[in-house]
Amino acid sequence: MVSLKDTIGDYQVFLNEVLDQVTEEGFDLADFVQLDHICYRTVSLENYYVKKNELTTFAELLGETIVSERPISAFRLHDPIIHDRWRIDTIELPAPKVGSEYPEGLEHVEFVLYDNIKTFLSRYSHKQFDLKAADRGINPEVGLSLEKHSVKFHLLNLPTVIYLEHKLGITEV
């Protein structure tokens, strides 16, 4: 029987790497309410639909939204990933952006902040954050590239954002 690990790769090793890098960067993990979700990138639209189908074995599709002209799906795992003190319930699956190339596999994690983004940015003002989504609608976020992966910080977890998008009739971001 195929496992989640067979489908998305060794997420425990990935999480160890990311959390080690986040800590080495000087972040206090107590600043985060939740390790909201992990992201698995695909190299093609065809692979996106294959992975989307495979993930339905392990998770419920919460929704699919068009973001930057390509679909992004979110899944709530039937059995959450438990890693150290973190419970990760959600996997994000974005199709690749036209003209952008990413390697296939686990790419980033996203944390929910205790504080607002302004306070967080002030606390870590010495960091070179990606701010392109810092003013985005429902769930503004900031990102940071790490040695091998990346991490994003925002205010609401992904299932909450999807719920709000459904309630507000938002299908494209």
Side-chain angles (χ1 to χ4, degrees):
M1 183 168 168
V2 175
S3 69
L4 180 62
K5 184 177 173 182
D6 295 328
T7 302
I8 65 170
D10 194 335
Y11 49 84
Q12 296 291 354
V13 168
F14 167 75
L15 289 166
N16 281 335
E17 288 175 357
V18 172
L19 290 170
D20 286 349
Q21 290 174 34
V22 167
T23 303
E24 287 168 12
E25 282 285 330
F27 289 99
D28 182 349
L29 295 179
D31 286 341
F32 313 126
V33 174
Q34 181 182 18
L35 196 165
D36 173 31
H37 67 271
I38 58 178
C39 175
Y40 184 94
R41 292 243 184 225
T42 60
V43 295
S44 69
L45 191 57
E46 180 182 353
N47 284 22
Y48 168 81
Y49 287 113
V50 168
K51 285 295 174 192
K52 182 180 171 188
N53 185 55
E54 289 174 356
L55 282 169
T56 61
T57 304
F58 313 102
E60 171 192 356
L61 177 64
L62 293 174
E64 183 177 61
T65 303
I66 303 300
V67 179
S68 299
E69 301 177 1
R70 71 5 173 140
I72 296 181
S73 292
F75 296 85
R76 182 183 305 271
L77 293 167
H78 300 308
D79 296 310
I81 295 169
I82 305 299
H83 187 85
D84 295 333
R85 70 179 182 102
W86 307 104
R87 174 190 165 118
I88 303 146
D89 297 295
T90 311
I91 295 179
E92 178 183 45
L93 180 70
K97 291 180 186 175
V98 174
S100 296
E101 291 187 27
Y102 298 97
E104 181 105 7
L106 292 167
E107 187 219 31
H108 72 261
V109 303
E110 298 197 21
F111 288 100
V112 176
L113 300 171
Y114 271 111
D115 292 318
N116 62 47
I117 288 181
K118 183 178 178 181
T119 301
F120 178 74
L121 290 174
S122 176
R123 181 166 187 190
Y124 295 104
S125 61
H126 58 287
K127 300 290 182 195
Q128 296 293 326
F129 289 107
D130 176 350
L131 300 175
K132 70 180 172 229
D135 293 322
R136 182 179 61 198
I138 293 174
N139 200 25
E141 73 180 23
V142 297
L144 184 71
S145 293
L146 302 171
E147 183 181 325
K148 266 178 86 172
H149 305 290
S150 63
V151 63
K152 296 179 183 181
F153 310 95
H154 51 100
L155 303 175
L156 302 172
N157 68 33
L158 189 54
T160 300
V161 171
I162 291 167
Y163 172 80
L164 290 171
E165 287 174 345
H166 286 302
K167 284 295 201 185
L168 296 172
I170 298 169
T171 59
E172 193 166 331
V173 178

